[in-house]
Amino acid sequence: QVQLVESGGGLVQPGGSLRLSCTASGTVLSMDNMAWYRQVPGEERTRVAYITSGGLVDYADFARGRFFISRDNAKNTVYLQMSSLKFEDTAVYYCNANIRDYTSRFSKYWGKGTPVTVSL
């Protein structure tokens, strides 16, 4: 079984920066498209950023210009660098990835989330 584990969340002041990491463990043969989502309690989970296996990226409007997604295939890791953080960025951030696991087939995995709180 593949597991995705996010890290890097925490408390940050407005205007500050955080880098989130998501690492896949277990039998990971390869990683395809990967993404970051976020969710505020009582609201829908929304996609923040997306990156393909070839490195093409896309961002939600609220993230574009402030957030940057990247990946390190050798480390089975995807990152989300966040800067110029605002109060409204407060949410639980989730990692999502399509991974070819021990079955040699691609399956979709979710992490359990890492909370980000932007506050004074």
Side-chain angles (χ1 to χ4, degrees):
Q1 174 72 274
V2 171
Q3 294 186 41
L4 296 179
V5 179
E6 302 98 336
S7 63
L11 177 65
V12 63
Q13 293 184 335
S17 299
L18 282 176
R19 189 179 77 158
L20 307 183
S21 299
C22 171
T23 299
S25 62
T27 305
V28 179
L29 301 183
S30 64
M31 304 179 73
D32 195 23
N33 301 338
M34 308 173 75
W36 286 95
Y37 289 73
R38 73 184 189 185
Q39 186 172 28
V40 176
E43 300 181 7
E44 290 188 328
R45 186 175 298 186
T46 61
R47 196 169 78 181
V48 177
Y50 175 85
I51 184 167
T52 71
S53 60
L56 299 178
V57 301
D58 191 30
Y59 298 94
D61 288 342
F62 62 78
R64 189 172 293 108
R66 298 189 299 127
F67 295 2
F68 300 92
I69 189 170
S70 61
R71 62 192 293 161
D72 186 337
N73 291 333
K75 297 180 179 179
N76 291 329
T77 298
V78 61
Y79 303 95
L80 184 68
Q81 177 68 49
M82 304 186 293
S83 61
S84 301
L85 285 163
K86 307 173 181 179
F87 292 115
E88 53 264 42
D89 293 321
T90 297
V92 178
Y93 286 73
Y94 297 88
C95 177
N96 175 259
N98 289 310
I99 296 173
R100 186 162 63 93
D101 59 15
Y102 70 95
T103 69
S104 296
R105 299 177 181 179
F106 283 100
S107 299
K108 196 169 190 175
Y109 292 88
W110 288 92
K112 290 182 171 59
T114 184
V116 172
T117 302
V118 184
S119 177
L120 295 172

